[in-house]
């Protein structure tokens, strides 16, 4: 795979963070990215976790396939897609041994331990619940569902069904907010929780994907607004990150009110941008902005104003590409700049290692999965997204109907 292709994968998989200039400005970084597909384990463990992919999604190589190649205890063993031919092509390209005719055949494969679900948002709940019913653990892309009611149904399915592998803790369902598995996110949380920066007064977070991404024919635009069951929109795809990182900086406090919500639709029911402001019971305020096809370079950032220090994070989303954490003393205005590369592993590698560790019963991995992507936290995030839509006079998204609702 050549450098331009890898660069395209990074941009696409990170949803157009606009950091290509950083990639090419660092030869060591570019080398790591180019090496991702080639970092292959010589031999997999006999009891390696076997993962099946629902859909030949563009995110799957960066989020799962490449990290799995670096791990002895994970095998990407099967794939199914809407088109059998597309699944075959995908499997051949990435060395996946089994191709199933359809999604149900994959879910019925007793040799598969885990399902990775990168399908469109509106298909997350339906197919995740189907996987849980068959006793499969699930790593599901964000947002976990189309709305809060769907998340509740997923939590219920995870609790009511037993894992095929007999895991004593039950079925593992994790929302793939990959950035939260990285040491940078844990440091943000530590700084807030410990009181190092003082009492937080205001938070701002954004994720605005630069023009021309995504094209309006993309599933994130519900394919030119033609299929509402895909549950697309900028708030769902990009805004879920901004809401999530805002909540990371609140020390567990949830907004008491959405004071303003401005949403611009590209098609009826499909938002191209969103701008929302929040009030909290303790007087804290927050604001999130998200967009598709935004003009200019708008890297995902987090700004936190507090009584002792102001916290600024440049590129919270894909910190393995490039990031910067700044702490500015409110009294002296002295600034300290930090970064947390720790070997250069991608957020996706941290995520997969934690997921597999949690399956194996590793306590630290289970705690990290709970911190980064528990379904209970997904419910809180989705509840806020639903309310942002409602405040703007719109209905929450809805996906493929599920029987449990």
């Amino acid at each position: 795979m050549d450098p331009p292709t890898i660069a395209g994968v990074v941009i696409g998989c990170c949803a157009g963070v606009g950091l290509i200039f950083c990639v090419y400005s660092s030869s060591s970084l570019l080398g790591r990215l180019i090496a991702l597909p080639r970092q292959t384990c010589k031999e997999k463990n006999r009891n390696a976790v076997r993962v099946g992919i629902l859909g030949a999604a563009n995110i799957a190589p960066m989020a799962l396939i490449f990290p799995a190649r670096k791990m002895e205890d994970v095998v990407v063993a099967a794939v199914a897609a809407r088109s059998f031919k597309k699944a075959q092509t995908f499997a051949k390209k990435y060395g996946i041994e089994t191709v199933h005719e359809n999604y149900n055949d994959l879910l019925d494969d007793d040799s598969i331990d885990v399902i990775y679900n990168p399908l469109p948002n509106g298909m997350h709940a339906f197919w995740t619940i189907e996987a849980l019913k068959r006793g499969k653990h699930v790593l599901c892309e964000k947002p976990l569902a189309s709305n809060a009611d769907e998340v509740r149904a997923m939590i219920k399915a995870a609790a009511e069904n037993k894992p095929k592998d007999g895991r004593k803790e039950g079925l593992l369902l994790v929302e793939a907010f990959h950035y939260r598995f990285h040491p940078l996110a844990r440091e943000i949380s530590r700084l807030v929780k410990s009181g190092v920066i003082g009492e937080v007064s205001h938070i701002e977070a954004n994720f605005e994907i630069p023009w021309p991404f995504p094209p309006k024919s993309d599933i994130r635009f519900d394919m030119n607004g033609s299929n509402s069951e895909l549950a697309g929109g900028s708030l769902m795809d990009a805004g879920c990150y901004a809401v999530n990182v805002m909540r990371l900086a609140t020390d567990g406090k949830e907004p008491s009110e959405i004071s303003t919500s401005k949403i611009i639709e590209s098609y009826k029911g499909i938002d191209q941008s969103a701008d929302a402001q929040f009030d909290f019971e303790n007087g804290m305020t927050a604001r999130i902005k998200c967009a598709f096809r935004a003009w200019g370079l708008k890297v995902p950032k987090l700004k936190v104003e507090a009584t002792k220090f102001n916290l600024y994070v440049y590129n919270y989303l894909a910190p393995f590409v490039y990031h910067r954490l700044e702490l500015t003393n409110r009294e002296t205005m002295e600034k300290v700049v930090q970064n947390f590369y720790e070997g250069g592993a991608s957020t996706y590698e941290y995520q997969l290692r934690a997921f597999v560790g949690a399956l194996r019963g590793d306590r630290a991995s289970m705690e990290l999965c709970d911190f980064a992507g528990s379904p209970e936290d997904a419910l809180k995030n989705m509840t806020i997204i639903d309310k942002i839509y409602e405040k703007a006079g719109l209905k929450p998204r809805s996906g493929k109907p599920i029987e449990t609702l």
Side-chain angles (χ1 to χ4, degrees):
M1 190 176 287
D2 56 14
T5 301
I6 291 295
V9 169
V10 173
I11 293 173
C13 291
C14 296
V17 294
L19 291 176
I20 191 64
F21 68 97
C22 292
V23 174
Y24 281 102
S25 68
S26 170
S27 59
S28 60
L29 174 57
L30 182 59
R32 288 200 303 271
L33 292 172
I34 293 173
L36 277 171
R38 303 191 182 107
Q39 293 174 337
T40 306
C41 286
K42 293 181 179 179
E43 185 177 352
K44 298 290 185 179
N45 292 338
R46 185 172 298 177
N47 65 340
V49 173
R50 293 174 61 83
V51 183
I53 305 175
L54 284 172
N58 292 333
I59 188 67
M62 184 66 75
L64 177 68
I65 295 170
F66 296 164
R69 289 178 178 177
K70 300 174 69 175
M71 299 170 60
E72 295 178 352
D73 50 355
V74 183
V75 175
V76 180
V79 64
R82 285 177 300 162
S83 162
F84 183 64
K85 184 176 180 180
K86 184 177 181 180
Q88 285 181 311
T89 301
F90 187 87
K92 183 177 180 180
K93 182 176 182 179
Y94 295 109
I96 300 172
E97 63 188 55
T98 302
V99 181
H100 285 288
E101 291 277 355
N102 54 59
Y103 297 151
N104 277 309
D105 285 353
L106 171 59
L107 300 184
D108 289 333
D109 186 341
D110 288 335
S111 74
I112 298 299
D113 306 302
V114 172
I115 293 298
Y116 170 59
N117 185 350
L119 294 170
N121 303 329
M123 298 181 181
H124 285 179
F126 181 91
W127 288 109
T128 293
I129 288 173
E130 289 300 307
L132 293 168
K133 287 178 178 178
R134 288 149 163 102
K136 312 288 191 190
H137 306 285
V138 180
L139 176 63
C140 182
E141 275 301 331
K142 38 50 61 186
L144 191 63
S146 303
N147 55 60
D149 284 339
E150 287 186 358
V151 178
R152 292 185 183 95
M154 296 163 85
I155 293 172
K156 185 172 181 283
E160 291 181 347
N161 292 279
K162 295 182 179 180
K164 291 283 188 180
D165 61 9
R167 181 174 180 264
K168 64 179 182 180
E169 294 87 1
L171 284 167
L172 182 63
L173 171 60
V174 172
E175 183 178 30
F177 266 119
H178 61 98
Y179 87 94
R180 273 214 183 196
F181 290 85
H182 194 274
L184 175 64
R186 284 173 270 167
E187 178 63 10
I188 294 169
S189 178
R190 186 193 70 81
L191 289 169
V192 174
K193 285 182 176 294
S194 66
V196 167
I197 63 174
E199 185 177 346
V200 175
S201 59
H202 183 68
I203 302 166
E204 292 191 7
N206 78 298
F207 184 12
E208 297 163 272
I209 300 174
W211 186 91
F213 303 107
K216 291 193 175 183
S217 59
D218 190 89
I219 58 172
R220 287 168 286 184
F221 269 118
D222 284 1
M223 302 173 71
N224 293 307
S226 65
N227 188 347
S228 62
E229 281 193 1
L230 296 179
S234 65
L235 183 57
M236 293 291 288
D237 190 74
C240 67
Y241 279 105
V243 171
N244 191 272
V245 77
M246 173 198 76
R247 294 179 51 252
L248 181 65
T250 66
D251 190 20
K253 300 178 182 68
E254 301 294 336
S256 57
E257 183 183 1
I258 299 174
S259 54
T260 65
S261 176
K262 182 186 296 183
I263 289 179
I264 297 175
E265 292 184 305
S266 184
Y267 301 97
K268 183 174 175 56
I270 305 300
D271 49 290
Q272 183 160 328
S273 66
D275 184 340
Q277 299 187 59
F278 309 87
D279 293 328
F280 293 75
E281 288 185 355
N282 66 347
M284 181 170 59
T285 58
R287 182 183 186 182
I288 67 101
K289 294 178 70 177
C290 62
F292 288 158
R293 302 167 70 87
W295 289 105
L297 178 63
K298 298 185 178 182
V299 174
K301 296 181 289 290
L302 170 69
K303 300 177 183 179
V304 181
E305 296 176 10
T307 52
K308 297 179 181 178
F309 290 87
N310 286 341
L311 170 65
Y312 172 76
V313 182
Y314 182 91
N315 191 25
Y316 65 83
L317 178 68
F320 64 99
V321 176
Y322 176 80
H323 72 272
R324 188 171 73 250
L325 185 152
E326 297 178 0
L327 282 174
T328 303
N329 189 300
R330 293 290 299 267
E331 289 187 2
T332 66
M333 299 308 293
E334 181 181 358
K335 183 183 296 183
V336 176
V337 179
Q338 299 172 286
N339 55 53
F340 301 87
Y341 292 110
E342 299 190 14
S346 75
T347 50
Y348 301 106
E349 182 179 341
Y350 279 108
Q351 176 177 264
L352 187 58
R353 289 189 182 279
F355 189 90
V356 173
L359 286 180
R360 302 295 196 199
D362 177 70
R363 182 56 56 184
S365 295
M366 287 191 285
E367 290 175 356
L368 181 52
C369 284
D370 188 58
F371 164 78
S374 74
E376 291 76 19
D377 194 72
L379 178 58
K380 294 176 182 177
N381 216 63
M382 203 71 243
T383 297
I384 293 175
I385 291 171
D386 286 355
K387 289 180 178 179
I388 293 173
Y389 280 123
E390 291 170 344
K391 182 69 175 181
L394 302 173
K395 293 181 179 180
R397 307 298 87 164
S398 59
K400 183 176 173 63
I402 52 179
E403 295 177 1
T404 48
L405 289 183

